[in-house]
C-alpha cells in the first residue's frame, strides 16, 4: 500500500515563501515519478511541477521561476519550494506518485496553501 503524506501548507502573505514536503511510503522511491498538483476552489486540479527519477524537472508556466521541485531519495521525500507567492496560488496542493514503467497513480490527501494579506 502506497501512502503519500503532504505537509508544510499554511497561511502566507503575498510575496512570501513556503516549502511543501511529501513523504512517500514506497519501496524503491528513486524509481518513482513524482509530481505536485493543485486545486483551487471551483477549479480543476492542475499540474504544478514534475520530477523524474533521474531528477529532470518540468513546471507549469504559471510557476516557472518561482517554484522549485526537488527530491531526496534517501528520505523518500519530494519537496516544493514556493517563492514569490501570489493570491492566485491559493489552493490545496497534492502530491502524486507514478511508477516509472506504468501502472496505478497514487495521491496524497493534500495540504492547503492560502496566500492572503
Amino acid at each position: 500500500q502506497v501512502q503519500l503524506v503532504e505537509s508544510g501548507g499554511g497561511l502566507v502573505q503575498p510575496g512570501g515563501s513556503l516549502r511543501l514536503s511529501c513523504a512517500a511510503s514506497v519501496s524503491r522511491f528513486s524509481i518513482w515519478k513524482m509530481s505536485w498538483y493543485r486545486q483551487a476552489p471551483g477549479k480543476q486540479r492542475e499540474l504544478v511541477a514534475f520530477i523524474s527519477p533521474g531528477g529532470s524537472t518540468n513546471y507549469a508556466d504559471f510557476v516557472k521561476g518561482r517554484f522549485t521541485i526537488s527530491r531526496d531519495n534517501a528520505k523518500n521525500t519530494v519537496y516544493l519550494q514556493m517563492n514569490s507567492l501570489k493570491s492566485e496560488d491559493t489552493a490545496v496542493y497534492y502530491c502524486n506518485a507514478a511508477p516509472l514503467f506504468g501502472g496505478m497513480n497514487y495521491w496524497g490527501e493534500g495540504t492547503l496553501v492560502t496566500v492572503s494579506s
Side-chain angles (χ1 to χ4, degrees), residues 45-68:
R45 192 172 297 189
E46 59 187 358
L47 177 65
V48 175
F50 164 85
I51 187 165
S52 73
S56 298
T57 58
N58 279 309
Y59 298 92
D61 286 344
F62 51 78
V63 302
K64 280 182 180 177
R66 299 190 298 124
F67 290 12
T68 302

Side-chain angles (χ1 to χ4, degrees), residues 18-22 36-37 48-49 59 63 67-70 78-82 93:
L18 281 175
R19 189 176 82 153
L20 306 183
S21 300
C22 171
W36 286 97
Y37 286 73
V48 175
Y59 298 92
V63 302
F67 290 12
T68 302
I69 188 171
S70 61
V78 63
Y79 303 98
L80 186 68
Q81 178 66 44
M82 306 186 295
Y93 284 71

Side-chain angles (χ1 to χ4, degrees), residues 15-101:
S17 298
L18 281 175
R19 189 176 82 153
L20 306 183
S21 300
C22 171
S25 62
V26 294
S27 60
R28 302 186 68 191
F29 174 76
S30 62
I31 67 168
W32 286 74
K33 299 180 288 185
M34 302 299 297
S35 303
W36 286 97
Y37 286 73
R38 72 185 186 186
Q39 187 167 17
K43 295 188 176 182
Q44 290 188 332
R45 192 172 297 189
E46 59 187 358
L47 177 65
V48 175
F50 164 85
I51 187 165
S52 73
S56 298
T57 58
N58 279 309
Y59 298 92
D61 286 344
F62 51 78
V63 302
K64 280 182 180 177
R66 299 190 298 124
F67 290 12
T68 302
I69 188 171
S70 61
R71 64 193 297 159
D72 185 337
N73 291 334
K75 296 182 178 180
N76 280 22
T77 301
V78 63
Y79 303 98
L80 186 68
Q81 178 66 44
M82 306 186 295
N83 299 328
S84 303
L85 283 161
K86 307 174 182 179
S87 58
E88 50 264 44
D89 294 319
T90 295
V92 177
Y93 284 71
Y94 297 91
C95 179
N96 176 272
L100 179 62
F101 300 111

